[in-house]
Amino acid sequence: MDELTQRMFKVLDIPETAQLNEIEAKYRELVRRYQAEQSSGDPEAWQRLKEASSAYEIVRKYWSERNAPQQGSVSYRQPDITAPGPVIKKKRSAAPTVIVIVLVCIAIMYYGYPLLKRQRPETPANVVQGELRLFMTSQ
């Protein structure tokens, strides 16, 4: 352990053999204390809060590196390769897929049919003709 990490353990006031939950609890306690001091008007409380935060980050990184599994060991996330028995895969039923396809087709036919009708695009000539018809019928 280097000198910086040792100093950070002293800033947090915890032993070097502390567990992660002890480190987190001490950090939370210091944050509460320094925030209370800061709200009461202590000008150095902000610096102590920043120092405690950086110390927590360094100590947490050191702890996770120290307690990381060694390379070559089996991680708890990897499946057990030597599991006895055959590997059985479940077959998926085609019924849910067919039902979804049918429902989509029904929705397209019901809601999409009016959209499929060919509509005349709005051109200036169409707009003028419509306005002219409206003017002629209003008189």
Side-chain angles (χ1 to χ4, degrees), residues 8 36 45 51 60 73 88 97 105:
M8 294 300 129
E51 186 178 25
R60 189 174 58 129
S73 67
I88 301 171
T97 307
C105 291

Side-chain angles (χ1 to χ4, degrees), residues 1-12 14 16 55 58-63 65:
M1 178 183 337
D2 61 346
E3 184 180 323
L4 175 67
T5 308
Q6 289 176 347
R7 191 167 70 87
M8 294 300 129
F9 272 104
K10 288 179 184 175
V11 166
L12 293 176
I14 53 175
E16 295 174 5
I58 291 171
V59 167
R60 189 174 58 129
K61 182 179 177 187
Y62 169 77
W63 188 89
E65 288 173 356

Side-chain angles (χ1 to χ4, degrees), residues 5-29:
T5 308
Q6 289 176 347
R7 191 167 70 87
M8 294 300 129
F9 272 104
K10 288 179 184 175
V11 166
L12 293 176
D13 193 28
I14 53 175
E16 295 174 5
T17 58
Q19 294 298 315
L20 188 60
N21 58 358
E22 298 172 53
I23 296 168
E24 291 173 350
K26 186 64 174 183
Y27 170 68
R28 286 190 199 113
E29 176 189 328

Side-chain angles (χ1 to χ4, degrees), residues 64-128:
S64 61
E65 288 173 356
R66 185 182 68 187
N67 294 319
Q70 299 297 322
Q71 191 166 5
S73 67
V74 177
S75 173
Y76 65 89
R77 294 183 183 181
Q78 292 178 346
D80 188 11
I81 298 173
T82 61
V87 176
I88 301 171
K89 289 187 175 180
K90 286 186 171 181
K91 290 189 175 184
R92 298 175 101 185
S93 173
T97 307
V98 171
I99 292 171
V100 169
I101 291 173
V102 168
L103 290 175
V104 168
C105 291
I106 291 171
I108 289 173
M109 288 183 345
Y110 183 76
Y111 292 108
Y113 180 73
L115 298 176
L116 296 176
K117 288 184 178 176
R118 184 175 172 105
Q119 297 177 358
R120 293 191 324 190
E122 289 293 326
T123 61
N126 292 345
V127 172
V128 169

Side-chain angles (χ1 to χ4, degrees), residues 21-60:
N21 58 358
E22 298 172 53
I23 296 168
E24 291 173 350
K26 186 64 174 183
Y27 170 68
R28 286 190 199 113
E29 176 189 328
L30 290 175
V31 166
R32 279 193 295 268
R33 182 187 325 155
Y34 295 149
Q35 285 178 344
E37 290 175 6
Q38 187 178 7
S39 64
S40 68
D42 186 6
E44 295 179 4
W46 177 249
Q47 289 293 33
R48 288 192 297 262
L49 181 61
K50 286 190 341 185
E51 186 178 25
S53 295
S54 61
Y56 171 69
E57 290 298 321
I58 291 171
V59 167
R60 189 174 58 129

